[in-house]
Amino acid sequence: MSAGNEETRRDTECQSGTEYFSNPLMSDVASDWSPIHDAAYNGRILALQRLIAQGTCVNLHTLDKVSPLHGACMQGHTACAKLLMENGANVNSSTADGQTPLTEACAQGHVTCVSLLLQHGAASLGTSQSSSPIHRAAAKGHPECIEHLVQYGADVDQHIDKVGSPLQVACNNQHLSTVKKLLQLGACVSRTASGDSLLHIAARLSSPELVSVLLDHGADRFSMNSEGKRPLDLATPSSPAERLLRQAGVSPGVSPLMQLCRLYIRKITGKQRLGGICDLHLPTALIQYLLYQSDLRGDLMH
């Protein structure tokens, strides 16, 4: 095959998403970092445009299978990511340890990049258990990323062996705003990957904030773990968390009946249809209450 034909074949395959290593003969990862990786990672859009115009493959990979798109998304350079995808970058390519551009963007909380990747066909569920975008966002505490992922089909209860659900990951890392967002989106409050419930985890961490929000979403304070202990048994004595667990677990100013009704309506609706509550012919205050956007504080008592 002539050099010209080889170059034509290579250009065609590059545009179709075929992976190319920047220098497969090099064993040193640092020396494997190419000019197009450098431009994408550092947000040098003009240099990136020039390299692409010169025919540099947008799917060039390092030996660790890091693509220029990975680099752009790690740093949140949306313009560079957009340019790469418009020129054929593989949006679902995986690194040697299974990370996609989307998981990298989620881990760093780059919401605009996350949205752009999803619009260009990034897999919201990930390409393997090790590349779950929603788990990465939950572990790092980025609720805005989680909201975008769910809009594009991510499952708030996606289970990973030995890790559990995104909600369990967020609880373990004590990311309260992320826990609230997942629960608001319909995450199951009782699902775990271990013998402890989420409330057991919150009690072990002695976190009154986590205990409160879990109870408010229907967590069972009398549930037993694999050791036969209740969450109360694990809380630090005389701590705010222990006091909450001894109480009814209902928000101040809201009757137990209202709380039970909210939990039942959300259960019957199902997490896939929670967004439809906004379209019901109900008072705005009641819709906000059902969606955990308001605790009412007596708004409906009058």
Side-chain angles (χ1 to χ4, degrees), residues 115-188:
S115 177
L116 183 68
L117 288 163
L118 290 167
Q119 291 170 29
H120 281 79
S124 62
L125 291 173
T127 56
S128 66
Q129 282 208 337
S130 64
S131 68
S132 166
I134 197 168
H135 282 82
R136 290 297 296 276
K140 298 296 184 178
H142 300 304
E144 299 88 355
C145 293
I146 288 173
E147 193 157 24
H148 281 287
L149 290 167
V150 171
Q151 289 173 358
Y152 278 83
D155 183 3
V156 290
D157 290 321
Q158 184 178 352
H159 178 84
I160 293 180
D161 295 340
K162 298 182 180 180
V163 174
S165 67
L167 184 55
Q168 183 173 351
V169 171
C171 284
N172 281 326
N173 288 279
Q174 300 190 63
H175 293 310
L176 183 62
S177 61
T178 304
V179 168
K180 287 181 177 179
K181 175 58 66 177
L182 287 163
L183 289 168
Q184 189 183 81
L185 292 170
C188 179

Side-chain angles (χ1 to χ4, degrees), residues 1-10 13:
M1 181 182 291
S2 67
N5 289 337
E6 172 62 21
E7 184 175 345
T8 300
R9 181 190 65 80
R10 183 181 175 87
E13 291 181 346

Side-chain angles (χ1 to χ4, degrees), residues 195-258:
D196 284 346
S197 70
L198 296 173
L199 202 53
H200 283 93
I201 293 172
R204 284 186 188 276
L205 293 170
S206 196
S207 171
E209 296 83 9
L210 281 179
V211 167
S212 179
V213 73
L214 291 171
L215 288 171
D216 201 32
H217 284 78
D220 182 5
R221 62 195 179 103
F222 298 111
S223 63
M224 298 285 190
N225 66 6
S226 57
E227 299 173 344
K229 293 183 178 181
R230 300 172 301 166
L232 179 62
D233 300 325
L234 304 178
T236 302
S238 302
S239 67
E242 187 202 37
R243 287 194 292 273
L244 278 171
L245 288 165
R246 289 189 182 278
Q247 297 166 1
V250 178
S251 300
V254 178
S255 72
L257 180 58
M258 288 175 61

Side-chain angles (χ1 to χ4, degrees), residues 34-64:
S34 71
I36 194 170
H37 286 88
D38 183 73
Y41 184 82
N42 290 293
R44 296 171 181 156
I45 187 70
L46 295 179
L48 188 61
Q49 288 174 332
R50 184 169 60 253
L51 287 165
I52 292 173
Q54 291 172 354
T56 305
C57 182
V58 294
N59 288 307
L60 202 64
H61 280 180
T62 67
L63 294 179
D64 284 339

Side-chain angles (χ1 to χ4, degrees), residues 13-48:
E13 291 181 346
C14 180
Q15 292 170 6
S16 68
T18 300
E19 302 169 359
Y20 282 99
F21 296 101
S22 54
N23 193 335
L25 299 179
M26 289 185 178
S27 59
D28 181 64
V29 174
S31 66
D32 196 39
W33 197 253
S34 71
I36 194 170
H37 286 88
D38 183 73
Y41 184 82
N42 290 293
R44 296 171 181 156
I45 187 70
L46 295 179
L48 188 61

